[in-house]
Amino acid sequence: METSEAENSQQLVFFDLETTGLGPTCELVQLAAVSGKRFLNLYTVPRRRMEPGAAKVTGLRVRRRKLYLHRRPIPTSPLRDVLQSFIAFLRALDRPLLVGHNIRRFDCRPLARALDETGLRAQFEACVSGCVDTLPLAREVLQGCGMQSFKQEYLVKELMGVDYKAHNALEDVRSLQTLYNVLQPKPEMVARHTFSMSDAWEVVQEVTKAPKRECLLPGQRLLWQHLERPVKDTDKKAADHNNTDC
């Protein structure tokens, strides 16, 4: 880590979230960050229930407003306290770059939503200089190397020969920090994959403003649909579950 920071003269903070699911309204459950030997690892009890798929891969479950990791109770903090601790961690590092794997498509969105809900957006923005997504960065660095996947777990296994506990935010960020040093991306590559958190906020606003879809039983239709002439629908939309290369 020290070598990369010296070369790029930019502090780096690797971060990851575990959430209640993959949907646009999923909530933060675990937040972890690491920069060199400094690390942060905090949990919070979400308002939404854990989706079965998320509970299975993370081992996190909520019962009677208590959070359990692999059936063992773990200490938690209110969401606002978790975010304030993260902000304090960032402040100590002089406006670092936030680095994460697939964060542009996923992690930055629930993070942005949580910061808005707690009124901490301005404080957070003042603490970071930008974000770097290592998913497209790794694709560029390893172009032509014949990688079958760019999932973090696969890259760590292929490039470092290490298996680790994926889907635990702290293990993810520790592995990503090491992987980043193995990749040794050039500064111009990092610059190409750096973006602003404002991009994530724009997406969050679009999701918030989107009209809610009515819940219907199988076979039911809305009233206006009964009044319309039948039209053959040939537009098939592919569902995005954020699991292609993340």
Side-chain angles (χ1 to χ4, degrees):
M1 183 68 184
E2 290 77 14
T3 302
S4 294
E5 290 182 291
E7 291 175 353
N8 296 314
S9 67
Q10 174 72 62
Q11 295 272 24
L12 303 177
V13 172
F14 299 84
F15 90 103
D16 185 47
L17 306 179
E18 298 301 337
T19 60
T20 55
L22 296 175
T25 58
C26 66
E27 295 184 4
L28 188 156
V29 184
Q30 181 189 11
L31 185 155
V34 64
S35 183
K37 295 181 180 180
R38 301 181 183 185
F39 72 93
L40 180 74
N41 184 37
L42 295 170
Y43 294 87
T44 188
V45 178
R47 293 167 300 180
R48 291 178 174 270
R49 69 178 182 84
M50 295 289 299
E51 293 180 8
K56 183 177 180 179
V57 299
T58 64
L60 292 166
R61 285 176 171 79
V62 179
R63 295 175 183 171
R64 297 181 181 179
R65 298 301 301 163
K66 291 184 178 180
L67 188 64
Y68 292 80
L69 177 60
H70 301 301
R71 300 183 179 182
R72 295 182 178 181
I74 53 175
T76 58
S77 303
L79 178 60
R80 184 179 178 83
D81 290 356
V82 169
L83 295 174
Q84 285 179 323
S85 296
F86 189 30
I87 289 171
F89 185 89
L90 296 171
R91 278 178 177 159
L93 295 169
D94 190 24
R95 302 195 75 241
L97 277 173
L98 275 182
V99 184
H101 205 71
N102 199 32
I103 59 172
R104 186 164 193 166
R105 291 177 59 195
F106 184 68
D107 298 74
C108 283
R109 298 179 185 182
L111 176 60
R113 200 166 52 248
L115 289 164
D116 261 346
E117 290 175 1
T118 54
L120 295 171
R121 174 178 174 176
Q123 292 183 42
F124 180 85
E125 287 184 320
C127 295
V128 296
S129 58
C131 305
V132 179
D133 194 331
T134 55
L135 173 57
L137 179 61
R139 284 195 184 114
E140 182 174 358
V141 173
L142 299 171
Q143 187 175 8
C145 292
M147 290 292 168
Q148 296 178 4
S149 171
F150 288 91
K151 291 182 180 180
Q152 181 178 323
E153 189 175 6
Y154 176 85
L155 293 176
V156 169
K157 176 68 174 178
E158 287 296 306
L159 300 179
M160 298 158 50
V162 174
D163 288 311
Y164 76 99
K165 296 179 181 178
H167 301 296
N168 176 291
L170 183 58
E171 295 299 326
D172 283 339
V173 293
R174 283 174 168 164
S175 295
L176 184 60
Q177 179 173 252
T178 305
L179 176 63
Y180 189 91
N181 288 332
V182 170
L183 292 174
Q184 295 186 333
K186 297 178 181 179
E188 58 269 23
M189 288 183 176
V190 175
R192 277 195 292 273
H193 299 288
T194 299
F195 63 97
S196 169
M197 274 295 289
S198 61
D199 295 339
W201 263 293
E202 289 176 5
V203 174
V204 169
Q205 290 172 355
E206 289 176 5
V207 171
T208 303
K209 292 177 182 178
K212 294 183 179 180
R213 300 176 64 182
E214 291 83 352
C215 295
L216 302 175
L217 295 175
Q220 282 187 327
R221 301 172 67 195
L222 297 174
L223 178 60
W224 63 266
Q225 291 175 321
H226 287 282
L227 301 177
E228 282 193 337
R229 294 176 60 186
V231 177
K232 186 176 180 180
D233 184 9
T234 58
D235 180 23
K236 297 182 180 179
K237 298 180 180 179
D240 178 17
H241 295 290
N242 292 306
N243 60 357
T244 54
D245 283 319
C246 54

